[in-house]
Amino acid sequence: MRKFNFSAGPAALPEEVLLHLQYDLLDWQAQGVSILEMPHRAPAAINLLEETVQLFRGLLKIPDHFQILFMHGGARMQFAAIPMNLLGQNSNAVYLNTGYWSEAAAAEAKRYGDISVPPLKKGGGEVFRAGGIFNAAYVHYCDNETIDGIEFSSPPVVDNIPLVSDMSSNILSRPIDWGRFGLIYAGMQKNIGPAGLAVVVVREDLLDQAQAMTPSVLHYKTQVKAHSAYNTLPLFNIYAASLVFKWLQKQGGVEAIALINQRKAQKVYAVIDKHELYHNDVDLSCRSRMNITFSLPNKNLEEKFIKEARERGFINLEGHPSAGGIRLSVYNAISEPMVDRLVAFMEEFAKNTLS
Ligand code: PMP
């Protein structure tokens, strides 16, 4: 029996997408073969890839001067690919550190360039201005810290330096103001589809500054020329993504899901703030809408919470091992009624524990 999966990733997918994938697993689009068996250069495969790119472009209203790439290796591969591709002429970049993933991105980038990490108030996305940063090829930040439950409510202001953003855990959860960005990227296993790929959206004028040693598979310009298929692209992942994109269109698109996401998060934070039993210490201005972290007064209570939640079908609520506590990942595929049921459980658990 399927359960309510609040995992941070790989994350829940819409059930109708899973049923669709199951239905066409043996014979995809009357091609006589499974999508898992399709040659990636067959006309039907090329059409699928083009359609998927266009669906994504449409959902996020991505302007024509940005290229969209699907690349192997998830988001961590981009931690290396980004400095390799952008630090060929100017080897300096600035990385904002707001938590686990931005720190990991900076650590990897240090292998390929001169990386500075300015002091920052924890979770202080709102107050950051990149004043004084003149000699940087780009400024990198993580739009949503999946482990820490910290999200920028709007991108940091970096004046004329290209802004690069890791949007792995909040891509497609709200509109993006493209005028602010040089490049965004996201591992696809949260709001898009199966794990293994990353989507990269890169402004065309940034495609000519790669380091000479950049491997061809990671070289953005090579991948642009090859329409993301310089080497064999996992078509199953692309197909799954295309179905998620169509599902999202049916929900009313990114603007509509953004309102739902806002409401879902408000409902969970309201119950956290109402009961002393639950504690979230993220600054109010930076609370994540996607990954809601909180703790209970002790480990025993947290284990009891997780056990009782599991008995009701709510699974994968454990915080990341490095952070502990509880984490509810409420990505696009987690419906508002599902959140309502979880919130009702939290109310009930608080009442029973305190009485
Ligand atoms: N960045 C963020 C914000 C993430 O949440 C994750 C994975 N949870 C990663 C990077 C790493 O992604 P991947 O496993 O696809 O390399």
Side-chain angles (χ1 to χ4, degrees), residues 8-9 73-79 101-102 142-147 166-170 185-190 195-198 291 320 327 331:
R76 270 195 194 269
M77 189 69 98
Q78 295 306 314
F79 289 177
W101 287 112
S102 49
C142 180
D143 208 43
N144 183 65
E145 287 282 4
T146 322
I147 292 177
D166 178 355
M167 296 193 179
S168 293
S169 47
N170 66 354
Y185 65 104
M188 290 173 53
Q189 66 272 29
K190 298 158 199 301
L197 292 181
N291 308 100
H320 188 269
R327 174 173 52 172
Y331 300 124

Side-chain angles (χ1 to χ4, degrees), residues 143-144 149-153 169-175 191 254 257-266 268-269 286-292 328-332:
D143 208 43
N144 183 65
I150 291 170
E151 186 175 30
F152 279 73
S153 63
S169 47
N170 66 354
I171 187 97
L172 290 173
S173 71
R174 62 182 177 193
N191 265 338
V254 172
I257 208 94
L259 297 174
I260 297 170
N261 286 332
Q262 193 64 38
R263 277 205 306 272
K264 282 168 11 192
Q266 266 163 6
V268 181
Y269 285 117
C286 320
R287 280 178 160 181
S288 171
R289 301 159 307 130
M290 296 283 107
N291 308 100
I292 303 176
L328 307 177
S329 295
V330 285
Y331 300 124
N332 288 352

